[in-house]
Amino acid sequence: MNIKQRILGLDIGDKRIGVAISDPLGITAGGLETIQRVNIEEDVNKVAQLASRHDVVQIVVGLPLNMDGSSGSQAEKVRSFGRKLARATGLALIYEDERLTTISAIRTLTIQGVKTGNRKDLVDRQAAAIILQKFLDRSVPPPSA
C-alpha cells in the first residue's frame, strides 16, 4: 500500500504532451511518456487513462506564461485542456509556471549525452518532469536532523 499516491506532471503543447510521474512518496519526478496530440477529447482520455492506471491523486500542469508573467493565448489553451481534464478525472489540477523548462530540459538531456535535435518527445517528457519536480520540491518538507 502506498504511503502517498502518485502525482502526474504535464507539459502540454500543440503537438505533444510530455508526461511525468512522481514516485509514491512524492519526492522525485521522472518522465513517463509523450502523447502525440490527436484532438482534445482523445488527448484528455489518454491522460485520464494514465492517471487511473498509475493511481494518480493530483495533476500538475505546466502553465506557459509570457516572460513578464502575463498569460497569453497558449496559457488559455492549457487552461481549457485542464478544465476538461479535471472534469474527466475528478482530480485536483494545479498549474505550475513552466517558463524556461524546455531550455532546462534540453540542457539536462545534453549533459546526459542525449542528442535532442530529433527527439522532441524526450524534451517534452523531461520538461514535464522538471515542472513536476518544481512542484514537489515546494511540497515536500525538508528532512529533520
Side-chain angles (χ1 to χ4, degrees):
M1 178 82 183
N2 290 343
I3 296 169
K4 181 178 179 184
Q5 285 86 11
R6 296 175 184 262
I7 301 171
L8 210 60
L10 302 177
D11 179 31
I12 301 170
D14 289 332
K15 296 181 180 177
R16 291 171 304 280
I17 300 172
V19 183
I21 194 161
S22 72
D23 68 293
L25 297 176
I27 297 170
T28 61
L32 183 63
E33 68 176 73
T34 303
I35 297 170
Q36 297 299 318
R37 301 281 311 257
V38 178
N39 61 51
I40 196 153
E41 289 79 19
E42 272 191 56
D43 303 340
V44 164
N45 286 336
K46 284 181 186 174
V47 175
Q49 288 170 2
L50 281 174
S52 176
R53 186 177 328 135
H54 292 282
D55 296 322
V56 167
V57 296
Q58 191 173 38
I59 300 173
V60 175
V61 178
L63 189 62
L65 299 173
N66 296 321
M67 289 310 290
D68 65 1
S70 64
S71 273
S73 61
Q74 200 63 30
E76 187 45 48
K77 285 183 193 176
V78 168
R79 283 191 182 100
S80 175
F81 185 95
R83 286 189 293 272
K84 289 176 173 67
L85 184 59
R87 279 195 297 274
T89 63
L91 296 173
L93 254 72
I94 296 184
Y95 292 99
E96 180 72 35
D97 182 353
E98 72 164 35
R99 284 178 284 183
L100 303 177
T101 55
T102 299
I103 292 167
S104 295
I106 292 168
R107 283 188 184 145
T108 300
L109 291 167
T110 301
I111 289 168
Q112 294 171 353
V114 177
K115 294 193 186 329
T116 59
N118 294 325
R119 300 302 311 268
K120 292 185 179 11
D121 60 325
L122 280 179
V123 173
D124 293 333
R125 198 174 316 150
Q126 183 66 34
I130 291 168
I131 291 163
L132 180 54
Q133 192 64 57
K134 278 175 48 180
F135 171 79
L136 294 173
D137 287 349
R138 274 199 324 279
S139 302
V140 176
S144 55

